[in-house]
Amino acid sequence: MYWKKLLIKNSANLKETLKRMDEGAEKILFAVNKDNIVKGVITDGDIRRHFLRHGTLNANISQICNTKFVYAKKDCKKKDIKKLMLEKKIEVMPVLDDSGHIIGALSWPDIFGSGSFFAGGNISVPVVIMAGGRGERLAPFTKILPKALIPIGEKPIIEIIMDKFNSCGVKKFYVT
Protein backbone atom coordinates (compact mmCIF):
# COMPACT_ATOMS: atom_id res chain seq x y z
CA MET A 1 0.00 0.00 0.00
CA TYR A 2 2.99 2.30 -0.57
CA TRP A 3 0.94 4.12 -3.21
CA LYS A 4 -1.20 5.77 -0.51
CA LYS A 5 1.88 7.81 0.41
CA LEU A 6 1.77 9.25 -3.11
CA LEU A 7 -1.66 10.84 -2.66
CA ILE A 8 -2.06 14.55 -2.01
CA LYS A 9 -5.19 16.69 -1.99
CA ASN A 10 -5.49 18.72 -5.17
CA SER A 11 -6.12 21.78 -2.99
CA ALA A 12 -2.59 21.59 -1.51
CA ASN A 13 -0.11 24.36 -2.20
CA LEU A 14 3.27 23.84 -3.79
CA LYS A 15 5.21 24.19 -0.55
CA GLU A 16 3.21 21.34 0.99
CA THR A 17 3.68 19.28 -2.19
CA LEU A 18 7.45 19.74 -2.18
CA LYS A 19 7.58 18.65 1.46
CA ARG A 20 5.58 15.48 0.66
CA MET A 21 7.81 14.69 -2.32
CA ASP A 22 10.88 15.14 -0.17
CA GLU A 23 9.50 12.68 2.41
CA GLY A 24 8.81 9.97 -0.16
CA ALA A 25 11.13 8.11 -2.47
CA GLU A 26 9.23 8.81 -5.69
CA LYS A 27 9.34 11.99 -7.79
CA ILE A 28 5.59 11.95 -8.34
CA LEU A 29 2.36 12.55 -6.43
CA PHE A 30 -1.24 11.92 -7.43
CA ALA A 31 -3.53 14.91 -6.83
CA VAL A 32 -6.91 13.63 -5.60
CA ASN A 33 -10.17 15.28 -4.61
CA LYS A 34 -12.04 14.52 -1.38
CA ASP A 35 -13.45 11.33 -2.94
CA ASN A 36 -9.96 10.02 -3.92
CA ILE A 37 -10.62 10.58 -7.61
CA VAL A 38 -7.35 11.44 -9.33
CA LYS A 39 -7.53 14.92 -10.81
CA GLY A 40 -3.92 15.13 -11.90
CA VAL A 41 -0.36 13.96 -11.53
CA ILE A 42 2.42 16.25 -10.35
CA THR A 43 6.09 15.45 -10.86
CA ASP A 44 9.30 17.17 -9.90
CA GLY A 45 9.55 18.19 -13.57
CA ASP A 46 6.16 19.95 -13.41
CA ILE A 47 7.39 21.88 -10.39
CA ARG A 48 10.65 22.90 -12.10
CA ARG A 49 8.72 24.15 -15.14
CA HIS A 50 6.40 26.10 -12.81
CA PHE A 51 9.35 27.90 -11.23
CA LEU A 52 10.94 28.59 -14.62
CA ARG A 53 7.70 30.39 -15.53
CA HIS A 54 8.20 32.52 -12.37
CA GLY A 55 5.67 30.57 -10.29
CA THR A 56 5.48 30.84 -6.51
CA LEU A 57 5.47 28.38 -3.60
CA ASN A 58 1.93 29.42 -2.70
CA ALA A 59 0.49 28.20 -6.00
CA ASN A 60 -2.20 25.55 -5.80
CA ILE A 61 -1.09 22.24 -7.34
CA SER A 62 -4.37 21.94 -9.24
CA GLN A 63 -2.99 24.74 -11.44
CA ILE A 64 0.35 22.97 -11.99
CA CYS A 65 -0.39 19.25 -12.21
CA ASN A 66 -0.82 17.33 -15.42
CA THR A 67 -4.53 16.64 -15.88
CA LYS A 68 -3.97 14.56 -19.04
CA PHE A 69 -1.94 11.87 -17.33
CA VAL A 70 -1.41 8.26 -18.32
CA TYR A 71 -2.95 5.62 -16.08
CA ALA A 72 -3.77 1.94 -16.03
CA LYS A 73 -7.24 0.51 -15.60
CA LYS A 74 -7.62 -2.20 -12.95
CA ASP A 75 -8.00 -4.95 -15.60
CA CYS A 76 -5.14 -3.76 -17.86
CA LYS A 77 -2.72 -6.45 -19.06
CA LYS A 78 0.89 -6.33 -17.86
CA LYS A 79 2.27 -6.30 -21.43
CA ASP A 80 0.17 -3.21 -22.23
CA ILE A 81 1.37 -1.46 -19.08
CA LYS A 82 5.00 -2.31 -19.96
CA LYS A 83 4.56 -0.85 -23.42
CA LEU A 84 3.00 2.36 -22.05
CA MET A 85 5.67 2.81 -19.38
CA LEU A 86 8.45 2.37 -21.95
CA GLU A 87 6.86 4.62 -24.60
CA LYS A 88 5.99 7.43 -22.20
CA LYS A 89 9.01 6.97 -19.88
CA ILE A 90 6.76 6.57 -16.85
CA GLU A 91 8.34 5.45 -13.58
CA VAL A 92 5.14 5.21 -11.50
CA MET A 93 1.66 4.79 -12.98
CA PRO A 94 -1.62 5.15 -11.09
CA VAL A 95 -4.20 2.37 -11.37
CA LEU A 96 -7.77 3.65 -11.52
CA ASP A 97 -11.17 2.03 -11.38
CA ASP A 98 -13.93 2.91 -13.85
CA SER A 99 -14.94 5.97 -11.79
CA GLY A 100 -11.44 7.43 -11.63
CA HIS A 101 -10.78 6.40 -8.02
CA ILE A 102 -7.19 5.41 -7.37
CA ILE A 103 -6.89 1.78 -6.34
CA GLY A 104 -3.15 1.35 -6.66
CA ALA A 105 0.05 2.35 -8.39
CA LEU A 106 2.58 0.41 -10.42
CA SER A 107 6.25 1.29 -10.28
CA TRP A 108 9.03 0.27 -12.66
CA PRO A 109 10.18 -2.62 -10.37
CA ASP A 110 6.57 -3.87 -10.12
CA ILE A 111 6.38 -4.28 -13.88
CA PHE A 112 9.95 -4.98 -14.98
CA GLY A 113 11.32 -6.69 -11.87
CA SER A 114 13.22 -5.40 -8.88
CA GLY A 115 16.65 -6.71 -9.88
CA SER A 116 17.51 -3.99 -12.30
CA PHE A 117 16.34 -1.21 -14.54
CA PHE A 118 16.57 -3.57 -17.53
CA ALA A 119 15.44 -6.71 -15.71
CA GLY A 120 15.23 -9.66 -18.04
CA GLY A 121 16.56 -7.69 -20.97
CA ASN A 122 19.61 -8.36 -23.07
CA ILE A 123 21.86 -5.36 -23.58
CA SER A 124 24.23 -5.67 -26.52
CA VAL A 125 26.38 -2.74 -25.42
CA PRO A 126 29.70 -3.61 -23.77
CA VAL A 127 30.59 -2.17 -20.37
CA VAL A 128 33.94 -0.51 -19.70
CA ILE A 129 35.15 -0.82 -16.12
CA MET A 130 37.81 1.71 -15.25
CA ALA A 131 39.93 -0.08 -12.69
CA GLY A 132 43.14 1.96 -12.87
CA GLY A 133 44.68 4.38 -10.44
CA ARG A 134 47.14 4.28 -7.62
CA GLY A 135 44.66 3.35 -4.93
CA GLU A 136 46.09 5.81 -2.40
CA ARG A 137 42.81 6.31 -0.53
CA LEU A 138 42.50 2.60 0.18
CA ALA A 139 46.11 2.14 1.31
CA PRO A 140 47.45 -0.03 2.94
CA PHE A 141 45.06 -2.57 1.32
CA THR A 142 46.12 -1.52 -2.17
CA LYS A 143 49.75 -2.27 -1.35
CA ILE A 144 48.73 -5.94 -1.50
CA LEU A 145 45.79 -5.99 -3.97
CA PRO A 146 44.59 -3.66 -6.75
CA LYS A 147 41.36 -1.77 -5.88
CA ALA A 148 39.25 -3.89 -8.22
CA LEU A 149 40.28 -7.07 -6.40
CA ILE A 150 39.64 -5.85 -2.85
CA PRO A 151 36.87 -8.06 -1.43
CA ILE A 152 33.53 -6.76 -0.22
CA GLY A 153 32.18 -9.67 1.78
CA GLU A 154 32.93 -12.82 -0.20
CA LYS A 155 33.52 -11.22 -3.63
CA PRO A 156 36.02 -8.76 -5.09
CA ILE A 157 34.61 -5.35 -6.09
CA ILE A 158 35.00 -6.01 -9.82
CA GLU A 159 33.03 -9.25 -9.59
CA ILE A 160 30.16 -7.49 -7.81
CA ILE A 161 30.07 -4.84 -10.55
CA MET A 162 30.15 -7.45 -13.31
CA ASP A 163 27.44 -9.55 -11.65
CA LYS A 164 25.11 -6.53 -11.46
CA PHE A 165 25.60 -5.72 -15.14
CA ASN A 166 25.32 -9.40 -16.05
CA SER A 167 21.90 -9.55 -14.36
CA CYS A 168 20.86 -6.81 -16.81
CA GLY A 169 21.93 -8.92 -19.76
CA VAL A 170 25.39 -7.44 -20.36
CA LYS A 171 27.76 -10.11 -21.68
CA LYS A 172 30.81 -8.15 -22.84
CA PHE A 173 33.21 -6.31 -20.49
CA TYR A 174 36.38 -4.30 -20.99
CA VAL A 175 38.62 -3.56 -18.01
CA THR A 176 40.95 -0.62 -18.33
Side-chain angles (χ1 to χ4, degrees):
M1 294 284 214
Y2 91 97
W3 60 270
K4 289 189 177 185
K5 294 178 183 175
L6 302 176
L7 303 182
I8 190 162
K9 295 293 180 194
N10 65 337
S11 58
N13 67 27
L14 195 52
K15 188 174 184 179
E16 189 179 332
T17 304
L18 283 167
K19 185 177 179 188
R20 286 285 305 283
M21 262 188 198
D22 190 47
E23 291 168 359
E26 305 295 348
K27 299 176 243 176
I28 188 169
L29 292 174
F30 306 125
V32 296
N33 67 10
K34 60 181 171 54
D35 299 319
N36 271 357
I37 294 176
V38 180
K39 293 298 185 179
V41 171
I42 187 161
T43 66
D44 58 342
D46 296 323
I47 294 170
R48 280 193 305 273
R49 286 184 288 279
H50 169 75
F51 285 130
L52 288 172
R53 291 188 304 262
H54 306 291
T56 67
L57 276 175
N58 295 324
N60 186 293
I61 64 165
S62 63
Q63 302 164 329
I64 303 166
C65 66
N66 179 3
T67 56
K68 295 178 181 161
F69 56 95
V70 177
Y71 61 92
K73 288 283 200 174
K74 65 180 177 183
D75 54 352
C76 207
K77 291 185 172 79
K78 190 173 181 177
K79 70 177 179 93
D80 296 330
I81 294 169
K82 273 185 178 184
K83 184 179 176 189
L84 259 178
M85 289 179 92
L86 284 169
E87 282 176 5
K88 304 285 185 179
K89 297 179 178 75
I90 297 171
E91 292 181 38
V92 180
M93 182 183 294
V95 180
L96 308 181
D97 68 11
D98 294 333
S99 304
H101 294 94
I102 186 159
I103 56 173
L106 297 168
S107 67
W108 191 270
D110 295 334
I111 299 299
F112 295 94
S114 60
S116 72
F117 190 78
F118 296 101
N122 193 2
I123 303 169
S124 61
V125 177
V127 169
V128 176
I129 299 173
M130 297 176 69
R134 291 187 294 235
E136 292 174 352
R137 289 180 303 185
L138 292 176
F141 303 111
T142 50
K143 299 287 184 208
I144 300 166
L145 288 171
K147 280 188 295 189
L149 296 180
I150 292 177
I152 305 273
E154 299 289 318
K155 293 183 177 184
I157 293 170
I158 195 165
E159 187 177 347
I160 294 168
I161 292 168
M162 291 174 79
D163 284 349
K164 289 282 185 186
F165 277 110
N166 192 266
S167 72
C168 298
V170 173
K171 303 291 182 217
K172 198 170 200 173
F173 296 91
Y174 295 98
V175 180
T176 169

